[in-house]
Amino acid sequence: ENVSLLFKLYCLTVMTLVAATYTVALRYTRTVETELYFSTTAVCITEVIKLFLSVGILAKETGSLARLITSLQENVFGSPTELLKLSVPSLVYALQNNMAFVALSNLDAAVYQVTYQLKIPCTALCTVLMLNRTLSKLQWFSVFMLCGGVTLVQWKPAQATKVQVEQNPWLGFGAIAVAVLCSGFAGVYFEKVLKSSDTSLWVRNIQMYLSGIVVTLFGVYVSDGAQVLEKGFFYGYTYYVWFVIFLASVGGLYTSIVVKYTDNIMKGFSAAAAIVLSTVASVILFGLQITVTFSLGALLVCISIYLYGLPRQDTTKIQPSETKSSKERLAVV
């Protein structure tokens, strides 16, 4: 059990470091690089790389090429139902990204940052309802403390500009609500699929990344189709861009490992810690100024991580549905 705990901590630490490095590298490519690339194609390439990495790891897991082919035939190409099941989170994530864009276009950046942090308690609520789990009052308190801490870390007061952009706040809040629900549902849905069967994690990843490639290719066609045809699929790609894509791919794989062996709530805590680390790195690399709100937010994030990690009931396993009804679980809140 100690080895298992160390493995979980290792996965969370690696995911935090990769996510923080990815954020800094992405900021560099979008602000320092003179020739911008198509982000939609980068996302598509990321899905392709994650697919090939998952196939490679599955090959090592099975031990031979023949067993790999048999596993792919049985679990991927021979199971359209399972492929359809794993296409759900891909489609929901695509909807989430589009709704986030609509929300950011119709809300001030500061309002968007604050309201988008509602995805943290939303994920916790989906975990309770969809996975038959219970959270203690202290855990709920730490979840909302984390939400507040991340909000303060990312808080940047809105600055008045001479250019007035026409915005629809009601449309923005509606879009952010959909994005928050999609974030919580998709993450917990994927966790439920992973933990409800003995199917290999890498088989599940292959199933999801196949549908992800289809979804992202459609996104390339809709968003940048004409420009990609004119300038090329890899327009603007540099060594730094490929480094960002590599980090995104590794981060995606580690995210699935974290969800498999911990849960989506811990993934949220890891992402919050990554935000703090990436902001500190931005201070060193980009001269970002540390503010009082950032310091307070970082402190709240650290305290919330400590509180959530205190000894408690194991929430990384799916409990039988007969143990408690939904009403009883919500009563704990």
Side-chain angles (χ1 to χ4, degrees), residues 161-173:
T161 60
K162 295 181 180 180
V163 179
Q164 297 297 324
V165 180
E166 186 177 351
Q167 295 179 328
N168 186 340
W170 289 108
L171 177 61
F173 282 119

Side-chain angles (χ1 to χ4, degrees), residues 11 48 51 64 96 128 142 182 231 235 243 286:
C11 290
V48 173
L51 174 64
S64 67
Q96 173 195 339
V128 170
S142 64
C182 287
K231 298 181 178 180
Y235 171 77
F243 180 59
F286 304 113

Side-chain angles (χ1 to χ4, degrees), residues 169-325:
W170 289 108
L171 177 61
F173 282 119
I176 203 72
V178 174
V180 165
L181 291 174
C182 287
S183 176
F185 172 79
V188 176
Y189 177 91
F190 182 59
E191 181 181 350
K192 184 174 184 177
V193 172
L194 279 180
K195 296 181 178 179
S196 296
S197 69
D198 295 329
T199 305
S200 168
L201 167 65
W202 307 110
V203 169
R204 291 301 191 191
N205 278 343
I206 292 170
Q207 292 169 341
M208 187 169 70
Y209 297 150
L210 280 173
S211 58
I213 291 173
V214 176
V215 171
T216 53
L217 278 175
F218 180 74
V220 172
Y221 172 77
V222 172
S223 300
D224 303 307
Q227 291 183 321
V228 168
L229 287 176
E230 177 186 350
K231 298 181 178 180
F233 196 87
F234 298 102
Y235 171 77
Y237 277 49
T238 64
Y239 292 114
Y240 292 107
V241 174
W242 282 109
F243 180 59
V244 167
I245 292 174
F246 171 75
L247 288 175
S249 303
V250 174
L253 292 181
Y254 261 99
T255 297
S256 62
I257 294 174
V258 168
V259 170
K260 173 72 174 179
Y261 295 105
T262 59
D263 55 39
N264 270 281
I265 302 177
M266 286 306 300
K267 184 188 75 173
F269 278 82
S270 178
I275 290 173
V276 175
L277 285 179
S278 63
T279 306
V280 173
S282 296
V283 173
I284 301 173
L285 298 175
F286 304 113
L288 187 68
Q289 297 294 321
I290 289 283
T291 63
V292 175
T293 55
F294 170 82
S295 301
L296 179 59
L299 179 62
L300 289 178
V301 168
C302 293
I303 294 175
S304 65
I305 293 174
Y306 170 76
L307 292 178
Y308 191 85
L310 290 176
R312 66 193 188 283
Q313 178 184 355
D314 187 6
T315 63
T316 64
K317 298 179 181 178
I318 296 179
Q319 304 297 330
S321 57
E322 296 83 10
T323 55
K324 287 189 177 183
S325 66

